Amino acid sequence: MAKIKVDGTEIEVPDHYTLLQAAEEAGAEIPRFCFHERLSVAGNCRMCLIEVKGGPPKPAASCAMGVRDLRPGPNGEAPEIFTNTPMVKKAREGVMEFLLINHPLDCPICDQGGECDLQDQAMAFGVDSSRYRENKRAVEDKYIGPLVKTIMTRCIHCTRCVRFTTEVAGISELGLVGRGEDAEITTYLENAMTSELQGNVIDLCPVGALTSRPYAFQARPWELSKTETVDVMDAVGSSIRVDTRGREVMRILPRTNEDINEEWISDKTRFVWDGLRTQRLDRPYIRENGRLRPASWGEAFDVVKARVSATAPDRLGAIAGDLAALEEMWALKRLMASLGSANLDCRQDGAKIDPANGRASYLFNTTIAGIEHADALLIVGSNPRFEASVLNARIRKRWRQGGFPIGVVGQRADLRYEYAYLGAGSDTLSNIESANSGFYEALKNASRPMIIVGGGALVGEKGGEALAALAALAREIGAVTEGWNGFNVLHTAASRVGGLDIGFVPGEGGKTAAEMASGGVDVLFNLGADEIEIAPGAFVVYVGTHGDKGAHRADVILPAATYTEKSGTWVNTEGRVQTGGRAAFPPGEAREDWAVLRALSAVLGKTLPFDSLGALRRDLFSSNPALGGDGLTPADPSVITTLADRAGTLSGGAFPAVVHDFYLTNPIARASKVMAECSKLAQELHLEAAE
Amino acid sequence: MSVRRLAEAAVQPPSFAFSDENAAWAEATILKYPEGRQQSAVIPLLMRAQEQDGWVTKAAIEAIAGMLRMPLIRVLEVATFYTQFQLKPVGTRAHIQVCGTTPCMLRGSDDLKTVCKSKIHPEPFHLNEGGTLSWEEVECLGACVNAPMVMIFQDTYEDLTPKRLGEIIDAFEAGKGAEVKPGPQTDRHLSVPIGGLTTLTEVDEDGSAEETSRGTTTPRSAPAGAEASVPPAQAGRPDTHAAETDPTIAGPGKAKREDSAPAAAEPTTSDKLVAEASRPGSGSEGGTVEGQTGAEEKDAAAFGTTPSDKAPGDARTEGKLRDQEAAAGDAVIAERKLVDNPEGTATEPSRRKTNDTAGGEPFEPVVEAKRKDTSDTSGGSPAKD
């Protein structure tokens, strides 16, 4: 710790702090453009100038000078800095005037207007007029992809975007070409960016040079209502803020959450919102003579009632999809129980995960923030870049710190960091020691090793065996010890952990999702499961939001709400219980899922014992006390040892890829035009690379 | 300077490969850098690619990015940052880089540009009709003594006249560039003074000649003390009322002198000027042989004679500082004369004039400050002998 005096108040800050951070700590606001906590220090905007007592008689850039760079006074007094002296004021005014020399005065048509750092800081720290009479510099706009719109004349060359793509996203796509007045931010030959995290440069850009292309000219920040909620595009459960105007979601932004997403979100999370408007199911439908016809809720319920009452309970089934919240899964589970059916499944991908094995066997036990404490990593059957982009950024962050050997078993892919490729599947896993002895040694000798098990290893017949074998491997390398649990399952579906937690899995004698889908049941309640092929024959009641695969196969469609249109609880891959708020209302006659199921239960004569979301949650949490609190409770790691004891010899082939197209993993994304465009670009790139 | 972009696709060659020789050189260059720092070789490699092709092609950028395992944009950043990299095709026989920085501009580089405009293309970075020639204006190429100059490939052509540049361009156009001798295009040897040596003309051997020349320059300036009493010329004074130019405010030099006054005997102005002459680097003569001037009066005088042989107003004595140094040099002589030859106190008119304009009050503080330094370091003032 170092003592430092800021504007006369003495404080103590960690040695590695910069003067800017120390000043913030002391409560002094320092304007800045290029400095960003999560990026390297560039020191090129000069906005953070402060005065250092006894230093050179000129202002110092506080972002680039460390607390320990300052020497104490002659009698050991704490070094002193000032952020409110006339020198600092003059310096800031001068820098601001220079920045504004070439910055266009197009705030009225700029999408950043109202939430622009330059605007705010010019108001707070600038002078009221310009002395510049010459023509301003003009810069050609660049094409850098379908997501990020550029108005490069506005650029102030802070290079945050360049540092973000290089350091966090892990692919050097943006750069500052030219020099001096002619410096320009661009990609190589104006190719589209390929990172899954590129949208974050929009948030990072302190001016309106990089803005959201889909959101361009859509709304002003002050006319949007902001709702804090949870992302469901992957199992990470990023913290997001949904901005709505009236009924429509206008954009989605990240919220800072150090435990999960820091302040990044993936492009799918950010740009999926146009999919919330299209392909929506806004009224019930009934299939008659092979065609779906609009119907009223009453008609639809009556048709369902007729079929359910005519079916034996063990021929009824329910599958929950990837985006379902805890509430509706709980309601559906209660309904199925009261109908007398044990045919439930929330694992439409067929992953061999069983809550009976204990909670630690299916959670990301290390936690996402815990990745930063690990010292070796083995990834099995997963491509975290596509399955959990933000989590992948965390792995990369740890990898950049060095001393973090990474090995991969499964599909070989560009993960944005270097790794040792061990092999394709279970053959490698059973001989991991010989596959790459160097890496195995590193893994074994690590004090906090991690194993990330992805869906690729868990799907298929041998999934259970693989899970047990990996638990045994975790035990072998000492990944599960006192105070450290390095056994992690990385899910891809936001609903998965929650479903497993509340036991949305086949009960006694119940059928799995695959069995139900292939004719095991006569009436199937499909709670937004769009990734599973349901064989002809069964009567499908689809409770969902989009006219996607599930709706096409449905016999009755009960329109429901998307994640932004309901208050829901999701459990992320770490087991973190998070509740999101409702940002908008479902379109047309669509209703929140739990309410649809509650109404249906009344029609079926099995009325569920809750009339409000609050009552439902009380019921849910009293039956599942582990989910009660918002937050994370570590799972008991002993179950991993139990699981490891069951490990036998491993057989089977290569682990398949779980996410084939990052941009099109769920019905909302598939309805999004923006995602379709991204997907097309990515495919073309993939083909080009294959050539 | 303008925005630098890669050349349009039509002129970009489809591929790039280093020649065998260059490839081996590139490999060796990459090996120079420590493990993990191979990317540092990007500038030498780009330069070699430019030497090979004449300009930096897109294919070369991509090939070098591949060789160094760098992202393409990082190489592009480097290539666009340094204006030494030509991003568009240049003349196949010559790309003429005309220095346009101040010394060359003062010596006529504008005329050279006019030649380029008429003989090659009105615009820089454009090829002539045959595609054989192009030109650009560059910043200082470090041959200011031989201004104006141009650089073609790795050779500089100096002391140019528009006519000579025209001839050189014609020679290159004709493919006879190799026949043009690089360096000064006049009879000047390297960067020796134009019109012959102005100093060290009588080196080494004939000491007696120097003696005689000294003897002949009998009319010397008045005692240095008298010089100081001449009122300073006001012509060069800035017309301002700024505080720092207010003559009534004592400068730091004066303050110093007051401090040092009690410590040393009251120094005469001649005293100061002698010391000034013996100060290291005080002039083109005295500075180089500081030890001798400090210790041996005779030698100091010998060196002092040299400027007095020159006609006033020659290149060497242009400018105020020069004048001041000359005044200091004269003072040495004067002092010596006072000791050796009391009759030699008549003033040489031309020298007087120089002293009038330069050796006055405005410079005095500086001289004094320096004097104090030198008397500490030069191991004894000649005046004490």
Side-chain angles (χ1 to χ4, degrees):
Chain A
M1 298 293 271
K3 279 202 167 69
I4 185 166
K5 252 174 134 178
V6 181
D7 298 335
T9 28
E10 186 165 305
I11 52 156
E12 212 170 332
V13 293
D15 277 338
H16 65 269
Y17 265 35
T18 62
L19 296 185
L20 190 147
Q21 287 169 308
E24 300 263 286
E25 194 80 14
E29 191 192 355
I30 309 242
R32 87 287 301 267
F33 293 111
C34 70
F35 177 80
H36 193 277
E37 289 82 357
R38 290 172 223 282
L39 304 175
S40 63
V41 172
N44 51 10
C45 76
R46 312 314 285 181
M47 196 61 205
C48 63
L49 295 174
I50 53 152
E51 185 175 349
V52 178
K53 187 179 181 181
K58 59 173 186 176
S62 62
C63 73
M65 189 179 267
V67 169
R68 62 184 150 199
D69 295 343
L70 297 185
R71 273 179 295 173
N75 307 315
E77 306 100 333
E80 197 165 359
I81 60 172
F82 301 97
T83 66
N84 52 10
T85 55
M87 183 214 259
V88 175
K89 182 169 183 289
K90 193 168 170 233
R92 287 171 179 169
E93 284 172 359
V95 170
M96 184 53 79
E97 193 170 2
F98 273 121
L99 284 175
L100 293 178
I101 279 179
N102 276 321
H103 190 81
L105 287 176
D106 62 352
C107 303
I109 56 148
C110 176
D111 264 325
Q112 196 84 352
E115 50 185 3
C116 173
D117 288 359
L118 188 64
Q119 225 176 19
D120 296 347
Q121 292 182 26
M123 281 296 291
F125 306 103
V127 285
D128 60 349
S129 60
S130 172
R131 292 180 283 176
Y132 196 67
R133 297 281 171 271
E134 288 74 13
N135 287 333
K136 295 195 179 211
R137 163 189 108 116
V139 184
E140 287 166 46
D141 293 343
K142 311 287 186 295
Y143 173 82
I144 60 172
L147 300 177
V148 182
K149 180 186 168 191
T150 64
I151 302 96
M152 296 319 286
T153 306
R154 295 176 187 151
C155 178
I156 59 168
H157 303 151
C158 69
T159 67
R160 275 188 190 178
C161 51
V162 177
R163 283 174 284 147
F164 173 83
T165 51
T166 307
E167 293 163 16
V168 179
I171 172 161
S172 297
E173 293 183 300
L174 285 171
L176 183 86
V177 302
R179 64 193 293 181
E181 196 194 15
D182 301 311
E184 297 178 321
I185 299 284
T186 183
T187 55
Y188 184 70
L189 306 179
E190 302 197 20
N191 288 331
M193 289 199 282
T194 59
S195 169
E196 290 74 36
L197 295 167
Q198 58 176 283
N200 293 299
V201 300
I202 298 166
D203 293 339
L204 284 171
C205 185
V207 295
L210 305 178
T211 55
S212 169
R213 194 183 287 274
Y215 173 70
F217 309 129
Q218 296 288 307
R220 282 303 197 179
W222 56 83
E223 58 184 7
L224 299 173
S225 36
K226 287 102 177 158
T227 312
E228 302 198 337
T229 183
V230 184
D231 173 51
V232 297
M233 292 299 124
D234 52 34
V236 173
S238 303
S239 298
I240 54 169
R241 189 186 93 191
V242 178
D243 285 6
T244 47
R245 186 176 60 195
R247 298 173 68 97
E248 289 209 275
V249 173
M250 303 307 290
R251 61 172 176 178
I252 295 171
L253 296 175
R255 277 187 292 139
T256 305
N257 187 337
E258 296 298 338
D259 291 329
I260 302 175
N261 55 322
E262 301 183 278
E263 60 191 80
W264 321 125
I265 51 173
S266 72
D267 291 345
K268 191 163 51 175
T269 304
R270 183 184 299 266
F271 295 107
V272 79
W273 51 266
D274 70 327
L276 295 168
R277 301 174 182 177
T278 45
Q279 295 280 343
R280 286 305 298 271
L281 303 170
D282 57 355
R283 59 198 306 179
Y285 287 87
I286 301 170
R287 188 174 296 278
E288 275 175 1
N289 308 322
R291 293 177 67 88
L292 285 167
R293 74 159 176 87
S296 69
W297 278 106
E299 278 179 90
F301 283 156
D302 288 340
V303 173
V304 176
K305 185 188 176 192
R307 292 301 293 241
V308 169
S309 53
T311 311
D314 68 325
R315 298 295 290 171
L316 296 172
I319 300 176
D322 291 348
L323 309 182
L326 270 185
E327 285 83 356
E328 55 247 33
M329 284 194 286
W330 181 247
L332 186 54
K333 184 181 158 149
R334 291 291 302 259
L335 177 62
M336 294 307 287
S338 58
L339 290 171
S341 168
N343 302 329
L344 290 173
D345 209 342
C346 65
R347 301 161 300 187
Q348 56 171 325
D349 59 0
K352 296 290 181 293
I353 316 163
D354 195 345
N357 289 337
R359 197 160 185 248
S361 71
Y362 60 84
L363 289 189
F364 200 92
N365 294 299
T366 307
T367 72
I368 295 170
I371 293 172
E372 289 179 36
H373 304 295
D375 51 6
L377 171 64
L378 174 67
I379 299 172
V380 181
S382 175
N383 180 345
R385 181 181 148 203
F386 292 137
E387 292 169 27
S389 308
V390 172
L391 188 144
N392 199 49
R394 196 68 84 109
I395 297 175
R396 180 176 159 79
K397 184 181 177 187
R398 173 65 191 89
W399 174 79
R400 267 168 57 82
Q401 291 163 3
F404 192 52
I406 301 173
V408 170
V409 179
Q411 301 276 324
R412 192 197 284 264
D414 178 7
L415 295 182
R416 309 299 197 209
Y417 38 80
E418 283 166 25
Y419 60 82
Y421 185 69
L422 306 178
S426 38
D427 297 340
T428 315
L429 208 54
S430 42
N431 301 310
I432 191 149
E433 200 171 343
S434 56
N436 184 331
S437 54
F439 175 75
Y440 181 76
E441 281 305 306
L443 193 64
K444 206 171 160 63
N445 295 334
S447 54
R448 291 180 304 278
M450 273 181 81
I451 297 181
I452 294 180
V453 184
L458 301 175
V459 295
E461 285 304 302
K462 309 286 181 187
E465 286 174 28
L467 187 69
L470 284 159
L473 179 65
R475 186 172 60 178
E476 189 183 324
I477 62 170
V480 184
T481 57
E482 194 68 42
W484 179 258
N485 190 341
F487 183 78
N488 301 290
V489 177
L490 180 59
H491 296 274
T492 51
S495 70
R496 192 61 40 82
V497 173
L500 296 169
D501 278 348
I502 62 165
F504 203 98
V505 287
E508 202 72 30
K511 299 187 177 76
T512 64
E515 286 163 354
M516 287 186 265
S518 54
V521 291
D522 292 334
V523 175
L524 181 63
F525 290 99
N526 181 347
L527 187 61
D530 291 271
E531 326 299 323
I532 192 166
E533 199 74 47
I534 299 168
F539 181 82
V540 179
V541 180
Y542 180 75
V543 182
T545 56
H546 283 74
D548 204 63
K549 206 155 131 191
H552 288 300
R553 172 64 188 82
D555 294 291
V556 171
I557 291 174
L558 304 177
T562 58
Y563 68 111
T564 57
E565 294 155 4
K566 63 191 172 199
S567 173
T569 304
W570 286 271
V571 186
N572 82 348
T573 191
E574 303 167 284
R576 192 183 301 275
V577 184
Q578 304 186 100
T579 302
R582 182 177 67 191
F585 291 95
E589 292 174 35
R591 292 294 178 267
E592 291 183 34
D593 306 53
W594 76 270
V596 170
L597 293 166
R598 164 69 181 71
L600 179 63
S601 72
V603 173
L604 296 177
K606 308 281 183 191
T607 312
L608 291 169
F610 31 75
D611 294 325
S612 69
L613 195 60
L616 192 162
R617 284 190 179 144
R618 274 193 296 280
D619 185 47
L620 166 64
F621 294 138
S622 61
S623 311
N624 300 278
L627 303 176
D630 238 18
L632 184 65
T633 32
D636 174 20
S638 64
V639 300
I640 294 165
T641 319
T642 326
L643 188 65
D645 289 337
R646 267 188 273 155
T649 45
L650 199 57
S651 58
F655 297 135
V658 183
V659 172
H660 299 286
D661 189 338
F662 167 75
Y663 296 101
L664 302 177
T665 51
N666 61 51
I668 305 177
R670 282 190 289 266
S672 160
K673 225 170 116 182
V674 178
M675 290 294 110
E677 195 177 344
C678 291
S679 167
K680 190 161 152 270
L681 262 176
Q683 300 297 337
E684 281 168 11
L685 214 72
H686 185 70
L687 289 179
E688 253 174 55
E691 270 168 23
Chain B
M1 213 177 83
S2 59
V3 179
R4 286 160 56 78
R5 297 273 162 78
L6 293 184
E8 60 270 34
V11 297
Q12 293 281 4
S15 66
F16 171 85
F18 275 120
S19 65
D20 289 347
E21 186 196 344
N22 284 343
W25 175 89
E27 211 163 288
T29 304
I30 295 170
L31 282 176
K32 278 189 207 165
Y33 297 93
E35 185 60 37
R37 296 278 181 274
Q38 275 69 26
Q39 301 188 344
S40 304
V42 64
I43 291 178
L45 258 59
L46 280 171
M47 208 64 210
R48 187 53 74 106
Q50 171 163 316
E51 280 164 20
Q52 182 178 311
D53 287 5
W55 57 295
V56 176
T57 61
K58 171 171 163 275
I61 286 175
E62 286 166 7
I64 289 169
M67 285 171 78
L68 300 174
R69 294 210 216 118
M70 281 172 88
L72 295 167
I73 184 74
R74 292 282 102 86
V75 185
L76 184 71
E77 281 178 337
V78 172
T80 53
F81 184 90
Y82 294 102
T83 51
Q84 284 83 350
F85 292 123
Q86 305 295 340
L87 297 182
K88 298 203 158 61
V90 295
T92 48
R93 293 193 189 140
H95 176 68
I96 293 147
Q97 298 177 302
V98 184
C99 174
T101 307
T102 317
C104 284
M105 194 197 77
L106 292 172
R107 301 275 292 162
S109 66
D110 285 348
D111 298 334
L112 301 189
K113 281 191 275 176
T114 313
V115 172
C116 291
K117 284 173 186 169
S118 62
K119 282 188 104 69
I120 301 171
H121 194 279
E123 294 289 317
F125 297 108
H126 284 69
L127 298 173
N128 67 347
E129 275 172 25
T132 50
L133 297 171
S134 58
W135 72 280
E136 69 172 307
E137 181 184 337
V138 296
E139 299 304 328
C140 185
L141 290 168
C144 312
V145 173
N146 297 68
M149 53 85 67
V150 303
M151 188 163 169
I152 302 170
F153 302 124
Q154 294 183 332
D155 290 321
T156 54
Y157 300 87
E158 300 152 2
D159 293 324
L160 288 170
T161 57
K163 178 166 166 285
R164 180 60 191 149
L165 179 61
E167 290 164 12
I168 292 174
I169 292 173
D170 290 340
F172 275 95
E173 169 73 353
K176 292 176 188 160
E179 291 169 19
V180 183
K181 180 178 70 77
Q185 300 299 307
T186 57
D187 53 356
R188 186 183 188 184
H189 174 65
L190 300 179
S191 53
V192 299
I194 292 175
L197 295 180
T198 58
T199 182
L200 297 179
T201 44
E202 300 151 275
V203 229
D204 301 325
E205 21 191 1
D206 199 0
S208 62
E210 287 179 325
E211 283 296 327
T212 45
S213 77
R214 174 172 56 80
T216 55
T217 55
T218 12
R220 295 315 303 172
S221 58
E227 279 172 39
S229 68
V230 174
Q234 298 294 318
R237 288 191 65 82
D239 181 19
T240 166
H241 300 296
E244 54 266 34
T245 57
D246 186 348
T248 61
I249 293 175
K254 280 215 166 97
K256 243 177 205 171
R257 186 199 163 177
E258 276 153 28
D259 290 345
S260 64
E266 184 65 20
T268 63
T269 313
S270 61
D271 215 344
K272 289 179 252 161
L273 291 174
V274 170
E276 165 63 12
S278 64
R279 161 179 72 82
S282 67
S284 49
E285 310 86 28
T288 50
V289 283
E290 188 256 321
Q292 287 172 309
T293 41
E296 293 171 59
E297 221 184 336
K298 193 174 149 189
D299 277 5
F303 277 97
T305 54
T306 316
S308 67
D309 293 336
K310 287 285 158 194
D314 71 14
R316 201 191 61 80
T317 54
E318 279 170 11
K320 268 192 177 171
L321 284 174
R322 292 275 183 196
D323 287 348
Q324 192 197 352
E325 282 158 12
D330 281 354
V332 176
I333 309 302
E335 172 66 17
R336 204 198 59 79
K337 290 293 168 197
L338 281 173
V339 177
D340 271 356
N341 183 8
E343 303 95 286
T345 53
T347 306
E348 184 187 63
S350 64
R351 297 310 299 178
R352 259 323 289 255
K353 196 174 171 225
T354 314
N355 289 338
D356 284 352
T357 45
E361 225 170 38
F363 289 103
E364 205 160 51
V366 182
V367 173
E368 278 166 6
K370 281 175 179 163
R371 187 215 151 259
K372 192 178 172 241
D373 292 344
T374 46
S375 63
D376 288 340
T377 52
S378 62
S381 158
K384 285 177 186 162
D385 294 348

